[in-house]
Amino acid sequence: MTQTDDTRWDGPTLAEAFRQVRALTLRLLDAASDEQLFWVPEGLTNHTMWRMGHCLWVMDDVLIRPATGASELPEGWAGKFEMDGRPPSEIAEWPSRDDVRAALVAQAARVAALLSSADAALLARPHPGWPTLGGYVIHGIHDEALHQGETYFALKMQRVNIGYR
């Protein structure tokens, strides 16, 4: 993806897009049973809990760290949820659903506040691998939406595989 002009993206518009995407992420987490959180479809690697935590890691990576200079994830979470990290099957301990949900909600407020108050200079700032920080934020919102689709599909697959609707 090559985006050369992110001046059309303002912080409040990005904040609203993010709020809408995160709301659906939370609904999917709430809809998953405890069993579904860790179910992995045959031939795939990631379960719903990983996808939920990955959404946290992505927004921490694309906005919070670049805007504030520091990660706001709980200690050890980046290693569980980052891109190109250890496969979920190799991780023995996971945060609880409640902890992940609380982090998603808290981060949503933080990201919305950062974006709502972001000035054009921050969003237009170059970011490694992306023309601008604003473009990288758009990528993060898009990534979360893609993980929602994967989660929704996995939840449907599991319902069919175990015979309930």
Short mmCIF file of all heavy atoms in Angstrom, two decimals, residues 22 56 64 72 100-112:
data_model
loop_
_atom_site.label_atom_id
_atom_site.label_comp_id
_atom_site.label_asym_id
_atom_site.label_seq_id
_atom_site.Cartn_x
_atom_site.Cartn_y
_atom_site.Cartn_z
N ARG A 22 -13.51 -0.90 16.74
CA ARG A 22 -13.25 -1.50 18.06
C ARG A 22 -14.56 -1.99 18.70
O ARG A 22 -14.56 -2.99 19.41
CB ARG A 22 -12.53 -0.49 18.96
CG ARG A 22 -12.16 -0.98 20.36
CD ARG A 22 -11.31 -2.26 20.41
NE ARG A 22 -10.05 -2.22 19.75
CZ ARG A 22 -8.88 -1.90 20.29
NH1 ARG A 22 -8.82 -1.54 21.55
NH2 ARG A 22 -7.78 -1.94 19.57
N LEU A 56 -4.91 -5.26 20.13
CA LEU A 56 -4.29 -4.37 21.11
C LEU A 56 -2.87 -4.02 20.70
O LEU A 56 -2.46 -2.86 20.72
CB LEU A 56 -4.24 -5.05 22.48
CG LEU A 56 -5.50 -5.11 23.28
CD1 LEU A 56 -5.36 -6.11 24.42
CD2 LEU A 56 -5.85 -3.73 23.81
N ILE A 64 0.08 4.40 19.55
CA ILE A 64 0.45 4.79 20.91
C ILE A 64 1.96 4.98 21.05
O ILE A 64 2.41 6.03 21.52
CB ILE A 64 -0.11 3.78 21.94
CG1 ILE A 64 -1.65 3.89 21.95
CG2 ILE A 64 0.46 4.05 23.33
CD1 ILE A 64 -2.35 2.85 22.78
N GLU A 72 2.02 0.97 25.89
CA GLU A 72 1.14 0.97 27.04
C GLU A 72 0.54 -0.42 27.28
O GLU A 72 -0.41 -0.55 28.04
CB GLU A 72 0.05 2.03 26.87
CG GLU A 72 0.63 3.44 26.87
CD GLU A 72 -0.40 4.54 26.71
OE1 GLU A 72 -1.61 4.25 26.60
OE2 GLU A 72 0.01 5.72 26.70
N VAL A 100 -8.22 -8.95 28.87
CA VAL A 100 -8.11 -8.52 27.48
C VAL A 100 -9.22 -7.54 27.15
O VAL A 100 -8.99 -6.51 26.52
CB VAL A 100 -8.09 -9.73 26.52
CG1 VAL A 100 -8.22 -9.29 25.06
CG2 VAL A 100 -6.81 -10.55 26.72
N ARG A 101 -10.44 -7.84 27.61
CA ARG A 101 -11.55 -6.93 27.33
C ARG A 101 -11.31 -5.56 27.96
O ARG A 101 -11.51 -4.52 27.34
CB ARG A 101 -12.87 -7.51 27.84
CG ARG A 101 -14.06 -6.68 27.37
CD ARG A 101 -15.39 -7.23 27.84
NE ARG A 101 -16.47 -6.77 26.98
CZ ARG A 101 -16.83 -5.51 26.83
NH1 ARG A 101 -16.19 -4.54 27.47
NH2 ARG A 101 -17.82 -5.18 26.02
N ALA A 102 -10.87 -5.56 29.22
CA ALA A 102 -10.60 -4.29 29.90
C ALA A 102 -9.51 -3.51 29.16
O ALA A 102 -9.61 -2.28 29.02
CB ALA A 102 -10.19 -4.54 31.35
N ALA A 103 -8.49 -4.21 28.68
CA ALA A 103 -7.42 -3.54 27.94
C ALA A 103 -7.93 -2.99 26.61
O ALA A 103 -7.55 -1.88 26.20
CB ALA A 103 -6.26 -4.50 27.71
N LEU A 104 -8.79 -3.74 25.91
CA LEU A 104 -9.37 -3.25 24.66
C LEU A 104 -10.21 -1.99 24.89
O LEU A 104 -10.12 -1.03 24.12
CB LEU A 104 -10.24 -4.34 24.01
CG LEU A 104 -9.52 -5.48 23.32
CD1 LEU A 104 -10.46 -6.66 23.08
CD2 LEU A 104 -8.88 -5.02 22.02
N VAL A 105 -11.00 -1.99 25.96
CA VAL A 105 -11.84 -0.82 26.27
C VAL A 105 -10.97 0.38 26.65
O VAL A 105 -11.17 1.49 26.15
CB VAL A 105 -12.84 -1.16 27.40
CG1 VAL A 105 -13.53 0.09 27.93
CG2 VAL A 105 -13.87 -2.17 26.89
N ALA A 106 -9.98 0.16 27.53
CA ALA A 106 -9.11 1.26 27.95
C ALA A 106 -8.32 1.80 26.77
O ALA A 106 -8.18 3.02 26.61
CB ALA A 106 -8.17 0.79 29.07
N GLN A 107 -7.81 0.89 25.95
CA GLN A 107 -7.04 1.35 24.79
C GLN A 107 -7.92 2.11 23.81
O GLN A 107 -7.48 3.09 23.20
CB GLN A 107 -6.37 0.18 24.08
CG GLN A 107 -5.43 0.65 22.98
CD GLN A 107 -4.94 -0.49 22.14
OE1 GLN A 107 -5.73 -1.12 21.43
NE2 GLN A 107 -3.64 -0.77 22.22
N ALA A 108 -9.17 1.69 23.66
CA ALA A 108 -10.08 2.40 22.76
C ALA A 108 -10.23 3.86 23.18
O ALA A 108 -10.18 4.76 22.34
CB ALA A 108 -11.44 1.71 22.73
N ALA A 109 -10.37 4.09 24.46
CA ALA A 109 -10.48 5.46 24.95
C ALA A 109 -9.19 6.23 24.70
O ALA A 109 -9.21 7.40 24.29
CB ALA A 109 -10.84 5.47 26.44
N ARG A 110 -8.06 5.57 24.94
CA ARG A 110 -6.75 6.21 24.75
C ARG A 110 -6.52 6.56 23.29
O ARG A 110 -6.09 7.67 22.96
CB ARG A 110 -5.66 5.27 25.26
CG ARG A 110 -4.26 5.79 25.10
CD ARG A 110 -4.00 6.91 26.08
NE ARG A 110 -2.57 7.13 26.15
CZ ARG A 110 -2.02 8.33 26.12
NH1 ARG A 110 -2.78 9.41 26.04
NH2 ARG A 110 -0.72 8.46 26.19
N VAL A 111 -6.78 5.61 22.39
CA VAL A 111 -6.58 5.83 20.96
C VAL A 111 -7.52 6.93 20.46
O VAL A 111 -7.10 7.82 19.73
CB VAL A 111 -6.76 4.52 20.16
CG1 VAL A 111 -6.87 4.78 18.67
CG2 VAL A 111 -5.60 3.57 20.45
N ALA A 112 -8.78 6.87 20.86
CA ALA A 112 -9.74 7.89 20.43
C ALA A 112 -9.29 9.27 20.91
O ALA A 112 -9.39 10.25 20.16
CB ALA A 112 -11.13 7.57 20.94
#
